[in-house]
């Protein structure tokens, strides 16, 4: 537990510092210990994003020598002064340092914005309630990751978790068991193409936007090396019928990506795979299985996915979503430059 | 940082560098033989009784070097690759495929940026230069396809020397391919384009793959007919190769519609990211038939563009021009590639169309009074009439007056603001994929149930802009887009 300090005078003893590679363990341990920490604020995830071309800026907030919060800022370089700083899953701050910590981070965002040419800082802390320290933020029109999700409590026994599932879920699971569907998890990178084949089949079938193969190569290679993720497969009679990428962070296992074959639906391979993932996460000591995205709106485009997920029981969980802090000096600067260069023709 | 991935399959391996396919042992011979063999064979014809010096730019996998080493006439190869990890694989894992080419005593490896290496090379050093670079996925990668690069290459070549380089797909990246062609011509080369089908490339969505064979001295049909290929090639044959110079006219005719790619006004990234510019009119008879580039000796027609189309300023100009033309011509369909060019190779036109539906929400985020105040603090830097209009707008908002009509200066301001907000969101690759309403395969919610508006004192003024944004978009004729954002792919 962090030492509680009474911040009658905001920043006394509190400092923001750039985190260096030697701070990696400290940062990750801190993040994993918080229930609101998100894997997108992990060091390994930021390595993955760096591989994807992002610049990463890592800051820790220290109360004297103790880490009490911080944030990873991501910036995709582009020639021009219309850009965003983004912090998916961040910032992460302990409750006692929300106000003072946030002030320091906003100051840092302003410095970075000026240096890099960003007009806003988009955050997405995994908080359920808006703290006052976000009063200068406005709701972003789009999220960086799902703000509503479905969580399964992994602390009860497997039998109890099964019992908490909807009858339909148990029925589907029993069908998969009866059919002999098996589940396996691996960190062998040779599983990436097999995963992608099923992922892409789903993308085509469901007509949603899917990331390219190279994205998953970079993602898996980075997270596998950090022991943060596994690929799971459901197999039936030698055929791979469903696949997922499961990410482990802190006490949470998150179903990040998935795909399935549309052949042999009667053997309910996706049900078996999720149950296998729940068991796997529990064995690894996780307390929460996160379906990463859920809606209670029956008209939502993802309603049928959510219906499937809800068969496993669980509790819907909503975070505040993404918010934008506009860097008005930068935005004004960009607009003035543009208006100057466009000639400001009188029309 | 570099990501190296070797995918093992039943017949061999496929190698990915930073997620992009470099080669598949199933068919890499097609690529490497077409890239290397004709250039060497032509050089031997042009430089008889000469110890040839060859430069390979890129090619750390050793596969292009394998092909060069077939020719005993080659006395020395310089291979310049900035990535030691790839070269290490070339010496180990790929050794069986490149026939241990990288340990040849005729080859010297330089771990260096090819641009810097070539800058240090004396003029007329090589008889053959081979460009074996990866597909450019970002603006920085296109430097080694620029006019300035090709000029350096030309300078480093001996008189009559041959340059061979991989291109992009003439089929799927038509404008990008011809941009390279025109850039080569502008650099003083006589360039011959050719195309082939490489199954693994096609499977990865690249389409027919293009190459260029170029020299400062004209390459004639007689020369090409006369050259002799080695006898033990895996796939390349002279008749098939000669056919590779033929292009469908509908593709070939597009070569006159592109700008050249130079460092000051780069175009290649724009063409590669926004390939729909290559859509051609099949109803035109001139687009049918084949054009054989072996017999075609032509001068370049490519110009240097006045604009870098991926820049915010160009986008804003395109919006302003469209607005002006919309005022004069009803039902003038907008060119979304120009109005909002895709900025990242992960993105698609379909994503952009959805993203554009958020423009009103982007405008609604802005605390317009605060922004206006910030801008008016620097009013002396603004064109006077715009400063005046901004003052007037600030006054109206402050005093709660309705904003009914938008003056041309105000349109200009709103266009600049809208394009800035859109650009800021679109240049971040994740922002598009993670958009709440269609995020990822595992699904997501379209929005939080948390009411952020209570947090913000900005929303009232933001909503003013929301309304203005609607007027602006209607004026733009962009109403064909589903602005509700409710129509998702999934």
């Amino acid at each position: 537990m962090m030492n509680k300090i009474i911040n009658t005078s905001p920043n006394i003893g509190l400092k923001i510092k750039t985190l260096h590679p030697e701070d990696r363990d400290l940062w990750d341990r801190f993040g994993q210990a918080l229930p609101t920490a998100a894997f997108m604020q992990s060091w390994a995830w930021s390595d993955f994003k760096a591989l994807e071309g992002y610049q990463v800026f890592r800051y820790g907030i220290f109360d004297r020598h103790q880490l009490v919060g911080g944030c990873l800022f991501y910036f995709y370089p582009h020639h021009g002064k219309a850009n965003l700083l983004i912090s998916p899953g961040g910032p992460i701050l302990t409750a006692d340092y929300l106000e003072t910590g946030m002030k320091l981070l906003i100051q840092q965002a302003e410095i970075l914005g000026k240096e890099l040419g960003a007009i806003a800082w988009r955050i997405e802390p995994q908080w359920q309630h808006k703290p006052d320290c976000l009063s200068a933020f406005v709701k972003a029109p789009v999220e960086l990751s799902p703000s509503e999700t479905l969580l399964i409590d992994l602390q009860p026994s497997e039998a109890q978790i099964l019992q908490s599932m909807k009858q339909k879920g148990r029925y589907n699971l029993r069908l998969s068991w009866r059919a002999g569907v098996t589940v396996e998890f691996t960190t062998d990178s040779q599983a990436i193409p097999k995963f992608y084949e099923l992922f892409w089949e789903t993308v085509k079938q469901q007509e949603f936007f899917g990331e390219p193969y190279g994205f998953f190569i970079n993602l898996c290679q980075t997270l596998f090396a950090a022991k943060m993720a596994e690929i799971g497969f459901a197999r039936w009679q030698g055929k791979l019928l469903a696949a997922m990428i499961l990410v482990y962070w802190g006490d949470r296992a998150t179903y990040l990506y998935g795909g399935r074959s549309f052949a042999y639906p009667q053997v309910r391979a996706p049900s078996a795979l999720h149950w296998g993932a729940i068991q796997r996460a529990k064995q690894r000591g996780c307390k929460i299985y996160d379906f990463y995205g859920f809606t209670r709106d029956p008209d939502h485009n993802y309603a049928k996915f959510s219906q499937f997920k809800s068969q496993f029981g669980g509790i819907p969980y909503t975070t505040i979503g993404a918010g934008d802090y506009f860097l008005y000096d930068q935005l004004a600067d960009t607009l003035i430059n543009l208006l100057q260069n466009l000639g400001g023709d009188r029309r | 940082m570099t990501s190296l991935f070797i995918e093992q399959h039943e017949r061999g391996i496929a190698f990915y560098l930073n997620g992009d396919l470099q080669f598949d042992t199933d068919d890499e011979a097609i690529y490497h033989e077409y890239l290397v063999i004709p250039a060497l064979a032509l050089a031997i014809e042009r430089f008889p009784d000469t110890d040839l010096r060859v430069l390979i730019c890129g090619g750390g996998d050793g596969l292009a070097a394998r092909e060069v080493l077939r020719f005993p006439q080659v006395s020395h190869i310089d291979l310049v690759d900035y990535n030691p990890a790839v070269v290490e694989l070339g010496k180990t894992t790929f050794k069986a495929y490149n026939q241990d080419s990288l340990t040849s005593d005729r080859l010297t490896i330089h771990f260096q940026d090819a641009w810097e290496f070539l800058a240090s090379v004396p003029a007329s050093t090589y008889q053959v230069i081979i460009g074996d670079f990866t597909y450019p996925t970002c603006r920085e990668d296109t430097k080694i396809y620029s006019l300035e690069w090709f000029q350096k290459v030309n300078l480093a070549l001996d008189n009559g020397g041959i340059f061979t380089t991989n291109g992009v797909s003439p089929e799927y990246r038509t404008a990008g391919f011809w941009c390279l062609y025109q850039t080569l011509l502008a650099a003083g080369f006589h360039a011959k384009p050719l195309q082939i089908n490489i199954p693994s490339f096609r499977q990865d969505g690249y389409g027919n793959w293009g190459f260029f064979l170029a020299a400062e001295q004209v390459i004639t049909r007689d020369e090409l007919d006369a050259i002799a290929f080695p006898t033990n090639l895996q796939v390349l044959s002279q008749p098939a190769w000669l056919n590779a110079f033929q292009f469908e006219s509908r593709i070939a005719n597009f070569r006159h519609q592109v700008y050249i790619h130079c460092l000051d006004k780069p175009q290649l990234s724009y063409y590669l990211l926004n390939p729909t510019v290559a859509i051609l009119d099949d109803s035109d008879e001139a687009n049918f038939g084949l054009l054989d580039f072996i017999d075609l000796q032509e001068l370049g027609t490519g110009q240097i563009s006045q604009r870098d189309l991926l820049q915010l300023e160009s986008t804003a100009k395109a919006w302003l021009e469209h607005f002006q033309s919309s005022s004069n011509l009803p039902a003038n369909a907008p060119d979304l590639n120009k109005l909002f060019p895709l900025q990242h190779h992960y993105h698609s036109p379909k994503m952009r169309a959805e993203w554009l539906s958020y423009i009103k929400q982007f405008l609604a985020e802005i605390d317009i009074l605060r922004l206006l105040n910030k801008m008016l603090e620097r009013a002396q830097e603004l064109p006077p009439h715009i400063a005046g209009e901004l003052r007037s707008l600030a006054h109206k908002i402050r005093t709660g007056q309705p904003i009914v009509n938008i003056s041309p200066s105000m349109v200009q301001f709103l266009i600049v603001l809208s394009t800035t907000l859109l650009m800021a969101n679109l240049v971040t690759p994740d922002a598009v994929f993670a958009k709440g309403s269609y995020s990822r395969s595992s699904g997501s919610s379209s929005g939080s149930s948390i009411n952020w508006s209570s947090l913000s004192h900005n929303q009232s003024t933001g909503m003013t802009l929301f309304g203005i944004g609607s007027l602006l978009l209607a004026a733009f004729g962009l109403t064909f887009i589903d602005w509700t954002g409710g129509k998702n792919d999934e």
Side-chain angles (χ1 to χ4, degrees):
Chain A
M1 288 288 290
M2 298 297 159
N3 293 330
K4 184 171 182 175
I5 60 163
I6 299 168
N7 291 300
T8 48
S9 177
N11 295 332
I12 289 180
L14 212 58
K15 280 190 179 157
I16 187 163
K17 290 182 193 168
T18 300
L19 296 173
H20 298 289
E22 58 270 25
D23 300 315
R24 177 180 183 136
D25 287 345
L26 176 69
W27 173 253
D28 280 349
R29 276 200 311 274
F30 173 73
Q32 287 179 300
L34 291 177
T36 56
F39 62 84
M40 289 179 180
Q41 286 288 307
S42 68
W43 203 285
W45 187 267
S46 69
D47 283 344
F48 159 57
K49 299 318 287 182
L51 211 49
E52 290 280 294
Y54 283 83
Q55 288 177 15
V56 183
F57 302 90
R58 305 172 179 96
Y59 295 99
I61 295 171
F62 292 84
D63 184 353
R64 291 165 186 88
H65 297 294
Q66 186 150 24
L67 183 64
V68 296
C71 192
L72 305 187
F73 294 77
Y74 299 97
F75 178 81
Y76 196 82
H78 187 268
H79 38 278
K81 290 186 171 178
N83 212 326
L84 299 177
L85 281 166
I86 60 169
S87 296
I92 50 179
L93 289 162
T94 47
D96 297 327
Y97 295 89
L98 276 181
E99 290 291 336
T100 47
M102 202 64 208
K103 265 185 196 160
L104 288 174
L105 289 170
I106 287 173
Q107 284 169 11
Q108 196 57 51
E110 284 171 343
I111 294 167
L112 281 175
K114 193 170 182 179
E115 281 173 9
L116 301 167
I119 60 163
W121 176 32
R122 180 164 297 161
I123 62 167
E124 201 172 53
Q126 301 297 290
W127 301 333
Q128 285 196 282
H129 304 286
K130 305 175 308 268
D132 291 342
C133 63
L134 296 190
S135 62
F137 286 75
V138 291
K139 172 96 184 109
V142 293
E143 313 285 10
L144 295 167
S145 58
S147 60
E148 193 170 9
T149 190
L150 185 71
L151 304 180
I152 306 283
D153 182 0
L154 300 181
Q155 294 178 90
S157 67
E158 280 187 16
Q160 287 168 318
I161 296 171
L162 260 179
Q163 196 54 42
S164 302
M165 285 171 64
K166 287 186 179 168
Q167 194 182 348
K168 175 77 172 165
R170 285 194 298 273
Y171 171 77
N172 284 337
L173 209 46
R174 277 197 294 270
L175 281 184
S176 73
W177 291 340
R178 209 172 296 144
V181 176
T182 58
V183 172
E184 67 212 38
F185 285 85
T186 179
T187 53
D188 180 354
S189 60
Q190 293 307 314
I192 302 169
K194 297 182 183 114
F195 162 82
Y196 195 71
E197 204 172 309
L198 289 167
F199 170 75
W200 199 247
E201 186 176 342
T202 310
V203 165
K204 282 192 294 185
Q205 182 79 18
Q206 305 291 346
E207 295 184 323
F208 58 69
F209 299 146
E211 288 86 343
Y213 185 40
F215 172 92
F216 288 99
I217 291 173
N218 292 340
L219 171 77
C220 290
Q221 287 200 317
T222 314
L223 297 195
F224 286 177
K227 301 189 187 325
M228 250 182 84
E230 290 181 304
I231 287 179
F233 291 116
R235 194 187 293 269
W236 178 71
Q237 294 190 351
K239 302 175 193 73
L240 293 180
L241 295 184
M244 69 158 64
I245 293 176
L246 191 59
V247 172
Y248 304 102
W249 188 244
D251 62 6
R252 185 177 297 217
T254 302
Y255 160 58
L256 188 58
Y257 287 97
R260 69 183 176 96
S261 165
F262 288 82
Y264 313 106
Q266 73 279 10
V267 304
R268 305 292 197 270
S271 293
L273 182 57
H274 278 287
W275 178 251
I278 286 169
Q279 289 177 305
R280 179 80 172 170
K282 197 168 162 52
Q283 282 163 11
R284 286 181 63 127
C286 294
K287 293 177 182 164
I288 298 167
Y289 184 75
D290 183 348
F291 272 102
Y292 199 66
F294 184 72
T295 180
R296 281 168 278 195
D297 174 4
D299 296 325
H300 193 279
N301 294 309
Y302 280 3
K304 66 180 178 183
F305 292 109
S306 296
Q307 201 178 357
F308 168 75
K309 292 173 181 179
S310 68
Q311 291 176 7
F312 289 84
I315 300 163
Y317 183 87
T318 304
T319 52
I320 60 175
D324 286 344
Y325 178 86
F326 274 88
L327 306 165
Y328 280 97
D329 283 327
Q330 285 311 114
L331 179 57
D333 187 63
T334 300
L335 298 179
I336 289 168
N337 284 336
L338 264 180
L339 289 166
Q340 285 171 339
N341 293 339
L342 291 172
D345 299 341
R346 189 183 289 278
R347 278 180 271 268
Chain B
M1 293 179 78
T2 303
S3 145
L4 309 168
F5 178 55
I6 298 163
E7 181 186 320
Q8 283 154 354
H9 54 70
E10 288 170 3
R11 299 163 309 278
I13 59 170
F15 173 54
Y16 292 81
L17 179 60
N18 293 330
D20 293 319
L21 177 66
Q22 302 303 297
F23 67 81
D24 188 317
T25 52
D26 263 356
D27 56 17
E28 59 81 14
I30 304 176
Y31 172 95
H32 289 102
E33 287 185 0
Y34 271 81
L35 176 68
V36 174
I37 300 294
L40 265 294
L42 183 56
I44 286 164
E45 191 178 285
R46 284 192 172 189
F47 300 96
D49 307 320
T50 305
D51 290 338
L52 299 178
R53 290 182 65 86
V54 177
L55 170 65
I56 302 173
C57 300
D61 54 34
L63 296 167
R66 173 195 68 199
E67 299 302 325
V68 178
L69 288 167
R70 287 177 185 272
F71 295 88
Q73 296 90 335
V74 173
S75 64
H76 188 77
I77 305 167
D78 284 315
L79 188 151
V80 56
D81 196 310
Y82 70 90
N83 196 327
V86 175
V87 173
E88 184 55 31
L89 284 174
K91 287 179 174 174
T92 53
T93 311
F94 304 154
K95 189 174 161 181
Y97 303 105
N98 64 29
Q99 294 169 11
D100 205 8
S101 63
L102 296 183
T103 59
S104 167
D105 56 8
R106 287 192 280 162
L107 183 137
T108 305
I109 298 170
H110 307 266
F111 293 114
Q112 202 175 348
D113 180 82
W115 183 279
E116 289 169 14
F117 179 83
L118 212 51
S120 65
V121 164
S124 309
T125 299
Y126 300 103
Q127 284 75 41
V128 177
I129 296 180
I130 298 165
D132 186 17
F133 293 118
T134 57
Y135 182 85
T137 55
C138 64
R139 185 188 176 94
E140 288 65 37
D141 291 351
T142 66
K143 190 177 173 187
I144 36 81
Y145 292 98
S146 65
L147 175 68
E148 292 83 349
W149 167 254
F150 291 146
Q151 285 169 335
K152 276 178 190 284
V153 169
N154 203 354
L155 198 64
L157 278 172
D158 199 354
N159 185 26
I162 310 296
F163 178 46
T164 177
T165 183
N166 66 340
V168 295
S169 171
E171 186 181 11
Y172 291 171
R173 296 293 181 272
T174 312
F177 182 76
W178 294 120
C179 167
L180 291 178
Y181 174 71
Q182 293 290 356
T183 307
L184 280 163
L185 296 182
F189 282 109
H190 290 275
K192 299 289 180 194
L194 58 157
Q195 60 173 341
I196 49 168
N197 178 33
I198 304 175
S200 61
F201 280 31
R202 182 169 288 283
Q203 195 184 328
D204 269 30
Y206 291 121
N208 261 7
W209 198 248
F211 297 89
F212 296 96
L213 185 67
E216 196 174 33
Q217 288 180 357
V218 172
I219 300 170
T220 65
R221 176 176 279 279
D222 289 346
E223 269 188 305
L224 298 186
D225 284 340
I227 64 175
F229 288 162
T231 52
N232 54 348
L233 299 176
Q234 292 185 58
V235 289
L236 184 66
S237 71
Q238 204 134 359
W241 175 64
L242 290 171
N243 283 336
F245 293 95
Q246 294 179 352
F247 286 75
E248 287 175 73
S249 294
R250 68 179 186 88
I251 300 283
N253 290 345
F254 201 80
R255 71 192 185 282
H256 301 304
Q257 299 175 43
V258 294
Y259 291 106
I260 65 171
H261 177 63
C262 59
L263 296 181
D264 185 38
K265 287 287 184 286
Q267 303 295 308
L268 186 59
S269 282
Y270 170 78
Y271 288 135
L272 299 181
L273 292 167
N274 298 274
T276 51
V277 292
I279 288 174
L280 298 167
D281 180 9
D282 279 346
S283 64
D284 186 345
E285 276 187 23
N287 286 331
F288 293 101
L290 292 173
L291 184 63
D292 193 333
F293 278 84
I294 292 183
D295 298 316
L296 193 67
Q297 308 295 352
E298 63 180 355
L299 297 173
T301 54
Q303 303 289 314
I304 293 177
S305 172
Q306 295 302 306
R307 292 184 187 177
D308 173 354
L309 290 169
L310 293 180
Q311 288 281 17
L312 175 61
E313 191 179 316
S314 295
T315 303
K317 273 183 184 164
W319 281 62
L320 284 167
E321 286 163 4
H322 179 75
F323 181 77
Q324 286 175 310
S325 65
S326 304
S327 311
N328 303 327
L329 300 168
N332 185 18
D335 177 355
L336 288 182
N337 278 336
K338 288 220 169 65
L339 286 178
F340 229 88
L342 295 176
Q343 299 279 347
H344 193 273
H345 66 289
Y346 281 5
H347 298 165
S348 70
K350 203 172 173 185
M351 287 176 176
R352 171 179 54 199
E354 285 211 6
W355 202 248
L356 280 166
S357 70
Y358 281 82
I359 191 166
K360 286 189 289 187
Q361 284 87 339
F362 291 143
L363 287 169
E365 281 194 284
I366 297 298
D367 180 344
I368 186 66
L369 262 183
R370 190 170 170 194
L371 175 62
L372 290 172
N373 289 338
K374 285 284 179 195
M375 293 181 75
L376 290 170
E377 282 171 16
R378 295 167 58 185
Q380 74 284 357
E381 297 175 51
L382 286 164
H385 59 287
I386 288 185
E389 288 283 355
L390 294 187
R391 273 194 203 95
S392 167
L393 178 63
H395 176 72
K396 281 182 182 168
I397 292 171
R398 216 175 285 125
T399 56
Q401 294 179 48
I403 301 163
V404 182
N405 297 315
I406 307 178
S407 69
S409 296
M410 198 45 53
V411 166
Q412 192 170 0
F413 166 68
L414 284 170
I415 283 174
V416 163
L417 176 59
S418 302
T419 50
T420 300
L421 294 174
L422 271 169
M423 178 78 90
N425 279 278
L426 207 60
V427 298
T428 303
D430 280 12
V432 176
F433 275 100
K435 186 160 72 71
S437 58
Y438 60 88
S439 169
R440 301 205 166 96
S441 58
S442 50
S444 80
S445 161
S446 61
S448 160
S449 60
I450 304 292
N451 177 15
W452 279 71
S453 60
S454 62
L455 272 180
S456 168
H457 65 282
N458 305 333
Q459 291 291 317
S460 57
T461 51
M463 288 311 289
T464 306
L465 265 190
F466 186 93
I468 295 173
S470 303
L471 285 173
L472 174 73
L473 294 166
F476 250 68
L478 292 174
T479 48
F480 69 95
I481 294 167
D482 175 14
W483 297 111
T484 63
K487 190 179 174 184
N488 285 313
D489 277 354
E490 167 39 34

